[in-house]
Amino acid sequence: MSAIQAQLETLRQQLRHHNHLYYVLDDPQIPDVEYDRLFRELQSLEAAHPELITADSPTQRVGAAPLSEFGEIRHAIPMLSLGNVFSDEELLAFDKRIHDRLKSDAETEFVAEPKLDGLAISILYENGIFTRAATRGDGETGEDVTQNVRTIKSIPLHLMGEGWPAKLEVRGEIYMPKAGFEAFNAKMRALGEKTFVNPRNAAAGSLRQLDPRLTAQRPLDMFCYAVGLVEGGAVPDTHYAILQQFRAWGLRVCPDICVVSGAQGCLAYFREIGAKRSSLPYDIDGVVYKVNAIATQQELGFVSRAPRWAIAHKFPAQEEITELEGVEFQVGRTGALTPVARLKPVFVGGVTVSNATLHNMDEIERKDVRIGDYVIVRRAGDVIPEVARVIPDRRPADAQVIVMPTHCPVCGSEVERPAGEAVARCTGGLYCPAQVKEAIKHFASRKAMNIDGLGDKLVELCFEQGLIRHVDDLYRLQAAQVAALERMGEKSAENLINALEKSKATTLERFIFALGIREVGESTAKVLARHFGSFEALQAADEAALLQVPDVGPVVATNIAHFFSEPHNRDTIGHLRELGIHWQNYVVKPIEALPLAGKTYVITGTLSRSRDEIKADLEGLGAKVAGSVSKKTTALIAGENAGSKLEKAESLGVAVLDEAALSVLLTR
């Protein structure tokens, strides 16, 4: 190392140390003027030797050039959501489920953590250096916000100490402290600019700025609360010890986290943190409990898209009284009519609420809600506000009974309510403008045809101008037509036409999902694609054939069959294919002819891909994937930090495959 390199590294280490003291420990040891002197000295040296600037230098936080859009990052391990409990009884039931599953009466040790009201984030460190950051997104894929997160001063660009794995994914919550939120809003008011309603909105809005220099000006902070991918090293075997290790590596961890014993310990913590909620320097909307022992977490596993070993205990919803001034019926993509309460505006749960859901006519009748009533409006976190109940004593004499319209408020078609369903629907189908617009928005969405640049507002505008009436009209748009629209120019129009052309090359499962068939989400679309192999086979399938598909029940089978029986739907699909939409079909073989037919595998530990992906690959080769190891298990696929399942497999003599062996298995 040259003398200049050594001087640069010394300055960087000094500044990292003082950044940690100031932003993480809140315990500065030098005055600001001395810190500024060190920073300017580093800036001068790097300006003279730009070839020696490193990505983890303290000078590299000011924000890069504005982005045109956010890219995507696929999480190596899915960022799962948590289940919720809202009462002591529900928390006790959660604890009992753990005991039942573990077959143990011993008190479980939990880590209790304040549930921060911010934005979940994943940060990857490689060899101790900040590499990238992504939002949670849909749990599988998040937005690449690396440049924005890099500007947050409390997040180290280079980990402290030693012993960190070669790859370490840290997960946590980015938030705006209450004091920073108030100061920022005061600044915005002084400038005559728009202010934020609450700290959570401020944090989310700040992190999603396309210009990282704007993010750098916002008072954002982060608390780390979990570990994700770990490669080339190890972390401790309890959740609490992992968080303490984070602290040693210079990462911020909430000081109000503690270890508690059993459900009663959780409840005591919940009451304690709730009592001082208003005095905390950050916003929270509840408490999270996590089983402390990592081995026990692995033994408990997951249900659906949430862990069995963790739960969020939400604070009681915030409620206010206001007047119900009217009711409107909105028509959704599937024709469902949803009653929406128009309220006298009221401030509740950190936002001004003027609309609230009434769910459906059954709920309206059960609660006996009438226009003119004074009602309790409830809002909890990000949940859509709802009319919780009526105040009968304040009902005016002229209160009006709410009646479901007999005809669609958008297209005038008759409204029907199928027997046994709570939802009434417009019979206008794809001809109802409300349904067509929503169908087009869904068709163009990121997880469907992924037509970049075709947002909801542009769909509305094209529809209003008569440029599109059905989904297939999208592919008949001309650049000159689009360029003539309000706030659209030649370049934007050209970009949209190119995006439409690009979207024509898709996958079978994306196209199935894009059609918007009721109850057919991403997962079902993927299962259908792999089961039938081709669109023609799916379209020709009757309900009996559809019921042979894994995870497809009678309701979904009926919806699919009904969708393809509609002549207009078949016509639209034909037009789309004539306009150039194409994909590659799957090769479908009888299950007994598949290479892994009759074999059973179990997956455990941390792997480079999600378990759902690996499960889909194994099932595609004819294998069955089970949740627990037994004598009938063909092999256990074990990643890092494998726990009790690995021990059981070894005791039963079941073969154990690592990721390299799995790759060989999947090439069959």
Side-chain angles (χ1 to χ4, degrees):
M1 184 182 293
S2 69
I4 293 296
Q5 286 176 306
Q7 187 178 0
L8 283 167
E9 189 53 36
T10 298
L11 284 167
R12 287 168 186 156
Q13 288 180 0
Q14 287 178 313
L15 287 166
R16 287 180 197 130
H17 172 69
H18 290 298
N19 278 337
H20 180 67
L21 291 173
Y22 186 91
Y23 292 108
V24 179
L25 302 183
D26 197 22
D27 183 26
Q29 293 182 353
I30 60 173
D32 290 350
V33 65
E34 176 61 15
Y35 179 90
D36 292 341
R37 185 193 66 76
L38 291 170
F39 194 86
R40 284 196 300 273
E41 185 178 350
L42 177 60
Q43 281 182 315
S44 297
L45 274 174
E46 288 184 341
H49 302 278
E51 73 281 1
L52 299 180
I53 296 175
T54 59
D56 62 329
S57 173
T59 62
Q60 301 303 296
R61 289 192 183 274
V62 294
L67 305 169
S68 59
E69 60 181 6
F70 292 111
E72 290 186 350
I73 289 178
R74 187 168 186 82
H75 301 301
I77 299 172
M79 292 184 73
L80 302 177
S81 55
L82 294 176
N84 295 320
V85 297
F86 294 90
S87 67
D88 292 5
E89 292 73 22
E90 290 178 339
L91 187 276
L92 293 172
F94 163 73
D95 183 58
K96 183 178 184 300
R97 289 196 297 273
I98 289 177
H99 286 295
D100 291 346
R101 194 163 190 86
L102 295 176
K103 297 180 173 59
S104 169
D105 293 328
E107 276 203 336
T108 305
E109 189 174 74
F110 293 97
V111 176
E113 313 170 4
K115 186 177 182 300
L116 297 158
D117 199 10
L119 197 70
I121 201 76
S122 161
I123 299 176
L124 181 66
Y125 287 91
E126 294 183 312
N127 297 315
I129 296 174
F130 176 103
T131 303
R132 71 183 190 195
T135 61
R136 181 200 302 275
D138 62 4
E140 296 282 349
T141 304
E143 289 180 317
D144 185 347
V145 288
T146 302
Q147 297 306 323
N148 289 357
V149 173
R150 182 184 290 278
T151 69
I152 301 173
K153 295 181 175 65
S154 61
I155 298 175
L157 299 180
H158 193 299
L159 296 177
M160 298 174 61
E162 57 186 18
W164 11 267
K167 281 190 178 181
L168 175 70
E169 181 196 356
V170 176
R171 293 176 174 180
E173 197 89 356
I174 287 179
Y175 67 99
M176 188 175 285
K178 291 178 181 177
F181 170 74
E182 296 297 338
F184 183 76
N185 266 355
K187 177 183 174 183
M188 292 297 100
R189 280 191 290 269
L191 295 172
E193 296 185 15
K194 184 179 179 181
T195 59
F196 285 106
V197 174
N198 55 51
R200 188 194 185 284
N201 289 357
S206 298
L207 195 62
R208 299 195 74 258
Q209 293 289 325
L210 291 175
D211 188 345
R213 292 169 296 188
L214 295 177
T215 306
Q217 299 169 18
R218 309 286 174 88
L220 297 178
D221 226 326
M222 176 182 176
F223 279 139
C224 303
Y225 56 57
V227 67
L229 177 69
V230 176
E231 288 184 357
V235 293
D237 59 3
T238 68
H239 179 65
Y240 188 75
I242 289 171
L243 297 182
Q244 303 316 303
Q245 184 62 72
F246 279 178
R247 282 195 173 104
W249 288 333
L251 296 159
R252 288 189 83 235
V253 175
C254 179
D256 296 297
I257 288 174
C258 70
V259 177
V260 299
S261 182
Q264 293 305 319
C266 291
L267 291 173
Y269 179 89
F270 183 78
R271 295 184 184 103
E272 178 186 343
I273 205 76
K276 61 179 184 180
R277 179 184 181 186
S278 61
S279 64
L280 292 173
Y282 47 83
D283 269 356
I284 63 173
D285 58 2
V287 170
V288 174
Y289 311 115
K290 299 175 183 174
V291 171
N292 194 21
I294 302 301
T296 307
Q297 290 184 7
Q298 293 172 343
E299 185 176 353
L300 290 167
F302 303 85
V303 56
S304 184
R305 297 188 58 78
R308 290 192 180 96
W309 43 265
I311 203 80
H313 191 171
K314 303 293 284 290
F315 288 131
Q318 293 171 277
E319 299 180 337
E320 290 291 345
I321 298 174
T322 190
E323 185 180 357
L324 175 60
E325 297 181 329
V327 173
E328 292 182 9
F329 286 85
Q330 294 182 342
V331 184
R333 179 173 60 84
T334 62
L337 269 68
T338 303
V340 176
R342 301 305 184 197
L343 306 167
K344 186 174 182 179
V346 61
F347 195 75
V348 53
V351 298
T352 299
V353 172
S354 56
N355 302 319
T357 182
L358 287 164
H359 298 293
N360 52 53
M361 289 304 297
D362 282 352
E363 279 293 285
I364 289 173
E365 292 164 9
R366 184 179 68 82
K367 295 174 180 175
D368 189 22
V369 183
R370 302 185 188 184
I371 297 170
D373 275 340
Y374 281 85
V375 296
I376 303 291
V377 180
R378 176 187 296 152
R379 183 176 183 273
D382 291 331
V383 178
I384 296 171
E386 67 168 343
V387 172
R389 59 188 181 277
V390 171
I391 304 176
D393 295 345
R394 298 183 64 177
R395 170 169 288 168
D398 59 350
Q400 302 173 37
V401 174
I402 299 168
V403 179
M404 170 65 71
T406 58
H407 290 80
C408 173
V410 176
C411 72
S413 300
E414 288 188 8
V415 171
E416 289 184 350
R417 185 174 174 182
E421 288 194 21
V423 178
R425 298 182 188 278
C426 163
T427 59
L430 291 177
Y431 291 100
C432 175
Q435 295 179 65
V436 172
K437 280 193 288 187
E438 294 306 312
I440 293 171
K441 291 174 187 177
H442 172 77
F443 185 86
S445 63
R446 183 169 60 86
K447 294 177 184 178
M449 297 302 288
N450 194 24
I451 303 173
D452 190 30
L454 187 61
D456 290 358
K457 290 183 179 178
L458 185 53
V459 170
E460 296 274 356
L461 190 57
C462 287
F463 202 86
E464 289 169 9
Q465 296 297 315
L467 299 184
I468 52 176
R469 278 291 175 263
H470 301 291
V471 168
D472 49 305
D473 289 334
L474 288 172
Y475 295 95
R476 298 188 181 92
L477 286 172
Q478 302 294 317
Q481 294 175 304
V482 178
L485 294 172
E486 184 181 356
R487 296 186 179 180
M488 292 293 290
E490 290 185 8
K491 184 61 177 176
S492 297
E494 183 182 337
N495 289 341
L496 176 61
I497 299 303
N498 290 338
L500 284 162
E501 189 64 32
K502 180 181 177 182
S503 74
K504 290 180 180 179
T506 186
T507 63
L508 177 54
E509 53 260 44
R510 273 183 177 268
F511 184 72
I512 295 169
F513 176 61
L515 294 176
I517 305 169
R518 284 182 61 200
E519 309 289 345
V520 176
E522 287 179 87
S523 298
T524 303
K526 184 177 292 185
V527 170
L528 290 167
R530 297 192 177 191
H531 180 87
F532 289 104
S534 70
F535 190 81
E536 290 76 12
L538 169 62
Q539 189 170 241
D542 58 17
E543 290 189 36
L546 289 162
L547 286 170
Q548 301 303 309
V549 182
D551 300 325
V552 171
V555 173
V556 177
T558 300
N559 289 341
I560 296 170
H562 177 74
F563 180 88
F564 288 123
S565 71
E566 290 288 338
H568 180 78
N569 291 338
R570 294 200 303 271
D571 290 345
T572 301
I573 291 165
H575 295 156
L576 287 168
R577 300 193 73 173
E578 289 168 4
L579 288 162
I581 292 180
H582 62 281
W583 54 80
Q584 186 172 350
N585 287 332
Y586 288 95
V587 177
V588 180
K589 298 180 181 179
I591 188 77
E592 60 273 10
L594 296 174
L596 299 182
K599 299 185 182 296
T600 302
Y601 296 89
V602 176
I603 308 168
T604 190
T606 302
L607 296 145
S608 62
R609 295 192 299 146
S610 74
R611 293 185 187 186
D612 286 344
E613 286 182 304
I614 296 170
K615 179 182 178 182
D617 287 343
L618 288 168
E619 289 176 340
L621 293 173
K624 177 183 176 183
V625 178
S628 57
V629 177
S630 70
K631 290 182 180 180
K632 296 181 179 179
T633 303
T634 305
L636 174 71
I637 297 162
E640 293 186 21
N641 302 317
S644 58
K645 289 180 184 176
L646 177 59
E647 294 175 5
K648 187 170 183 180
E650 291 171 340
S651 69
L652 293 174
V654 172
V656 178
L657 306 181
D658 59 14
E659 200 147 7
L662 172 64
S663 297
V664 173
L665 182 69
L666 294 177
T667 57
R668 293 189 175 196

